[in-house]
Amino acid sequence: MMPEMRVLHAVHGFAPEFRGGVEAYVEAVASAQRARGDDAFVLSGSDRGRAPAHLEEEDISGIPVLRLQGLAPHTERLRDRPDGEVLVDGLLRRLRPDVLHVHSWLRLVPNLAAVATSAGIPVVATLHDVALSCPRVHRLKADLSFCRVPESPGPCIPCVRRDPWETDADVEDELSLRALFLERERSLLAAVLVPSEAQRRILEEVGAFPPGVLEVLPAALPHLPAPAVTTTRATPGLDVGHWGNLLPAKGTHLLVAAAASLPASLGVVVHLFGTAPDTGFESSLRASAPPDRVVFHGPYAPSDLSRFPLDAAAFPSLAHESHSFTLDEAFSLGLPLVVSDAGALPERVGGRGLVVGAGDVPGLAGALRRLAEEPALLARLRASRPAESPMPFPEHLARLDTVYRAACLAGAPALPALPTDRDRLLALQRRASRRLEEAVAAREAFDRLQAEATAVVEARDVELQRLYDADVALRSRRGVRLALRLSRLLGRG
């Protein structure tokens, strides 16, 4: 039987190398599509492997996964990588999908839509983050404050991660080329989906897309943890769950700080489920966590959460949350919530939780204190419905099918000529010219240092020779005087 549709999903990472909400969502969609008879494949970015760029093929839970390796580092800047582009083009022409569904450009190439369009394949995108409007991905500056400035090379140059040898001019060239790529990418998308109204608003606010382009389709998962069994506490206190990847952007350290600031007599205990991708962050997290108030549970599956007698959950994210699958899981568990006002969190939580300002540790501590001291508030939140419940997964798939069919019916658009090969070559040429100038300057500096060193060595040799000659002459005069004295003594004898 011929498959009804062939879909290639492009995503920044995939299990088992990367695990997170988007990765779980793509796996769920691809699995469901294959289960009903479609051909679904995954093109995944990767931090594994060294240059040259190459594709590694593997099977993950029955899904053919092709990992594009050898493009790191700084792939969040969407560097121009013709070597990766050639591999993606070959893959698309080999698989011939009916549609390319881009979930992320990170760790891949900056012209996914252009490559697919040149092969006659229509492209739809789901923007799970704000990476198309920020070369740091989450619009979080180095101090973790949120940036609302529209992307352009000038304001972004000081902020982006770079290699030690890169100059401002290098980064500006790359960001200018990135802007050209993304302008073309946006023009080639048959549909652009976002998981929430909050995601739509921020992308329009920063100028990534004009009004009327973005279509809201709430994300969904097929399986959520079963409601937790509620038990009456034997002692006063509050057990608060926090799960997912433990990251600064998720505010995990803020939750630990808030719990540590509360009196031990309140009995507030934070339970952390998951691991920290950054080992340095995990070390600082453990060092700052009072052992009697923070418990590290390590790796987990969402179904594990039902077994823990939690009183509430807290997600004080600093990043703009476009949806939050952890929120879906907390809703399913029936837990009251404390969330930050970042992205979709406050809109979705509704009467099920308390909202604090992103980054406000005293406010977060105050919310936890209220839940610990006011059992009636905790009960009221638990009985309240969230403003937006998770969308049933079959409904989500059906709406996705409608988007796919419309994209296939419209076909791939004509490919605009921006940026041209000339633009790309000039950017590379400017970078190469700067590297050559730096190399020439370094060689000249080396030659000067070598000449100075040679002069110092020659001067040292001359001085050593003078000292040696003086010593020989002194020894010679002493020898003559000694011989005369001996002669006189022998003559007297």
Side-chain angles (χ1 to χ4, degrees), residues 469-484:
D469 292 343
D471 183 63
V472 169
L474 180 61
R475 290 175 183 273
S476 177
R477 286 195 295 273
R478 285 176 178 171
V480 169
R481 286 197 297 269
L482 181 59
L484 289 172

Side-chain angles (χ1 to χ4, degrees), residues 184-205:
R184 181 169 68 169
E185 290 292 283
R186 285 189 283 263
S187 72
L188 296 173
L189 300 175
V192 191
L193 309 176
V194 291
S196 63
E197 283 291 338
Q199 182 75 339
R200 179 190 62 77
R201 284 197 305 273
I202 188 63
L203 289 172
E204 290 179 356
E205 176 188 329

Side-chain angles (χ1 to χ4, degrees), residues 4-44:
E4 292 189 10
M5 184 169 289
R6 291 173 69 85
V7 182
L8 176 62
H9 296 274
V11 65
H12 62 277
F14 202 74
E17 184 181 0
F18 298 101
R19 295 186 185 276
V22 176
E23 295 90 329
Y25 165 76
V26 172
E27 182 174 358
V29 170
S31 293
Q33 289 169 338
R34 293 189 71 83
R36 70 185 185 188
D38 293 341
D39 269 351
F41 307 83
V42 171
L43 168 63
S44 168

Side-chain angles (χ1 to χ4, degrees), residues 196-199 201 327 339 343-350 355 386-388:
S196 63
E197 283 291 338
Q199 182 75 339
R201 284 197 305 273
L327 211 57
V339 300
L345 296 179
E347 296 178 6
R348 298 195 64 214
V349 75
V355 179
E388 181 189 289

